[in-house]
Amino acid sequence: YHGLYRHVEIDDGDLDYYVMTGATPAAVIARFVRLIGGTHLPPLWSLGYAQTAMGLADAPDAQQQLDGFISRIEHEGIPCPAFHYGSGYSSRGKRRYVFTWNDDKFPDPKTLNARFHAAGMLVVANIKPCLLEDHPAFAQVAAQGGFIHDAQGKPVLEPFWDGMGAHLDFTNCAAIAWWQNGLQQQVLDYGIDVGWNDNNEYAILDDDALCDGFGTPIPMHRARPLHSLLMTRASFEAQARHKPGEPGFSVSRAGPPGIQRYAQTWSGDNTTSWESLRWNIRTGLQMSLSGMFNVGHDVGGFAGPSPDPELFLRWVQACCLNPRMVMNSWKADGTNNVPWLHPEVTEHVAAAIKLRYTLMPYLWSLFERASSHHEPIIRPTFYDFPDDDRCFEDCDDFMLGKDLLVAPVVEQGATTREVYLPKGPAAWFDFHTGAHLAAG
């Protein structure tokens, strides 16, 4: 009705407007990622298949359950270089208390973590930036002015994990120091290698909430993404001091442009369904085009029903060639997404995971190019073939680097599917058979 136009209203503050030009999507994305600081090159082990399940660390006998997982993954012969602890190690009932341990569920966590290491698995632990008001350190942090606060300087309390809590202010030096000290003493010194920064969207509803701003207070509605970034940076720096000279690694559920300098991320708590599988693929491609190259999804679906054998296998096959491959879940019926969830497809699940390791030298080269050349690891086909109009049509396919076209199956009951082979190369070759196929 109005024709093409753009409209913006700015209620508060300034708008910095950047125009990035380029002949191709690849050129524009590279300029953008260069502007926001490039992509961190993670350690090689972080490219492997990793496992977590909220139900394991939440279980009353969590240490025994995790010990059993180590034995089972060794028995199955599935390579798994990392295990990600859910926040259950810090829980009392449904509440979570960052930088504490539930001694009933984890009577000897240092021995358990040593067993993970002996089995060739590094350990990643969930950490959260909000302290419930009955957290043992709440008064200490409040006395230091370390929380997001109101105009009178009092901590802003809002619902968090079945309680009321206050978020740490990562624009406050005392809060950063408290965070890094807690991470060192209660996580890293326990034999855990990496902090997984979770629940850090800072979705604080109080319109009058403020943060310290390193001396110049900032309204929280202008600073939410900043805290996700600074939290992750604080964790990254503490880990670097703990293991100097080793490649750094971190995970964050949230963050603005710039988070890719420190962390891997994922699409968050997805739901088990064929629809989620299909749209997670597109979400990962959108994140890649937005400069977040080290991405993935909770394989099998985090919430919702337990996946049936077909959906579970298709999910593993679709995600085994994503930059991040972590199997994660929380299911009301107590099941967990693990490779042996359905014995009738375990062989095929293991084959998909092993395909990832077959391609590991190629995958690592793509991480190197992401860091040095600002190229997404996974991308829509139009990224590599911008002159082929058909590549701009909606599809389920994506490129893994410039040499591999991935065509996942996302239709229930499908045993065949059509694949469009873009124009541009002289020919395409079937990965499994070597058959020569015409481009276009």
Side-chain angles (χ1 to χ4, degrees):
Y1 177 78
H2 292 290
L4 293 174
Y5 74 100
R6 293 292 181 269
H7 175 78
V8 62
E9 291 184 10
I10 304 170
D11 294 327
D12 180 21
D14 301 321
L15 173 68
D16 294 326
Y17 190 69
Y18 295 83
V19 177
M20 281 152 281
T21 63
T24 64
V28 174
I29 292 166
R31 285 191 172 192
F32 171 63
V33 176
R34 192 177 299 116
L35 176 69
I36 61 174
T39 299
H40 172 63
L41 183 64
L44 180 61
W45 64 263
S46 69
L47 276 61
Y49 149 74
Q51 178 70 50
T52 184
M54 187 173 167
L56 292 175
D58 273 5
D61 58 343
Q63 182 161 340
Q64 184 177 340
Q65 294 258 5
L66 293 178
D67 192 79
F69 170 81
I70 297 171
S71 298
R72 184 64 184 267
I73 200 83
E74 290 178 321
H75 172 75
E76 297 291 339
I78 296 173
C80 179
F83 184 87
H84 295 223
Y85 272 50
S87 58
Y89 72 95
S90 67
S91 68
R92 308 290 188 280
K94 292 184 178 181
R95 296 188 176 202
R96 316 281 151 156
Y97 298 86
V98 66
F99 302 150
T100 69
W101 285 85
N102 184 321
D103 296 331
D104 293 330
K105 295 194 296 181
F106 289 87
D108 189 4
K110 292 183 179 180
T111 295
L112 175 62
N113 294 333
R115 174 141 157 68
F116 272 115
H117 289 153
M121 283 183 271
L122 280 79
V123 186
V124 181
N126 187 289
I127 47 180
K128 303 182 187 299
C130 187
L131 272 62
L132 295 172
E133 57 184 339
D134 59 346
H135 190 289
F138 190 93
Q140 173 196 351
V141 177
Q144 297 173 339
F147 291 122
I148 304 301
H149 56 273
D150 61 19
Q152 287 72 45
K154 296 181 180 179
V156 172
L157 292 172
E158 296 200 338
F160 187 83
W161 280 94
D162 287 80
M164 297 294 288
H167 281 74
L168 289 164
D169 181 355
F170 282 95
T171 66
N172 178 293
C173 293
I176 294 172
W178 181 87
W179 177 263
Q180 292 183 331
N181 183 64
L183 180 62
Q184 180 67 56
Q185 294 185 357
Q186 297 297 322
V187 177
L188 302 179
D189 287 348
Y190 272 69
I192 289 171
D193 303 281
V194 172
W196 157 16
N197 303 276
D198 197 20
N199 296 117
N200 57 344
E201 291 80 9
Y202 274 74
I204 294 168
L205 300 179
D206 189 328
D207 292 335
D208 298 321
L210 299 166
C211 61
D212 182 67
F214 298 108
T216 304
I218 308 172
M220 268 308 295
H221 67 266
R222 296 187 63 190
R224 287 189 182 96
L226 177 62
H227 286 275
S228 306
L229 176 66
L230 294 178
M231 173 191 178
T232 306
R233 185 178 76 173
S235 302
F236 187 92
E237 290 173 344
Q239 291 162 188
R241 288 195 294 268
H242 182 65
K243 292 186 176 180
E246 293 192 15
F249 178 67
S250 192
V251 185
S252 181
R253 197 171 85 174
I259 194 69
Q260 80 295 331
R261 300 197 301 268
Y262 306 108
Q264 174 189 83
T265 192
W266 81 108
S267 52
D269 293 348
N270 55 3
T271 304
T272 297
S273 69
W274 287 94
E275 183 180 45
S276 289
L277 170 58
R278 164 169 277 165
W279 289 102
N280 269 184
I281 293 170
R282 288 155 172 75
T283 299
L285 297 175
Q286 292 163 4
M287 295 169 81
S288 292
L289 295 179
S290 301
M292 190 66 232
F293 300 156
N294 191 351
V295 295
H297 316 285
D298 283 348
V299 178
F302 177 78
S306 183
D308 63 32
E310 181 191 8
L311 176 56
F312 182 61
L313 176 59
R314 293 308 191 198
W315 211 305
V316 173
Q317 292 171 333
C319 291
C320 72
L321 299 180
N322 276 212
R324 166 185 165 100
M325 186 188 186
V326 177
M327 202 172 284
N328 186 24
S329 60
W330 182 87
K331 303 299 183 187
D333 65 0
T335 60
N336 298 302
N337 291 345
V338 288
W340 47 88
L341 175 64
H342 295 294
E344 60 266 44
V345 297
T346 297
E347 176 186 356
H348 305 294
V349 168
I353 294 172
K354 289 174 182 176
L355 172 64
R356 182 179 184 87
Y357 288 93
T358 299
L359 294 170
M360 189 60 72
Y362 177 66
L363 187 59
W364 176 249
S365 75
L366 300 182
F367 272 80
E368 290 184 319
R369 289 196 66 83
S371 181
S372 61
H373 289 72
H374 314 302
E375 294 177 2
I377 296 164
I378 55 172
R379 55 260 202 149
T381 54
F382 66 71
Y383 176 96
D384 290 281
F385 307 103
D387 296 326
D388 187 340
D389 289 344
R390 281 198 62 179
C391 289
F392 289 89
E393 298 175 4
D394 186 40
C395 72
D396 301 310
D397 305 344
F398 61 91
M399 295 297 296
L400 177 64
K402 67 182 181 63
D403 294 317
L404 285 180
L405 172 63
V406 182
V409 176
V410 296
E411 298 281 355
Q412 185 174 10
T415 56
T416 63
R417 57 152 294 178
E418 293 186 355
V419 181
Y420 175 67
L421 304 178
K423 300 174 184 176
W428 291 84
F429 297 87
D430 184 282
F431 179 85
H432 298 284
T433 68
H436 178 283
L437 302 164

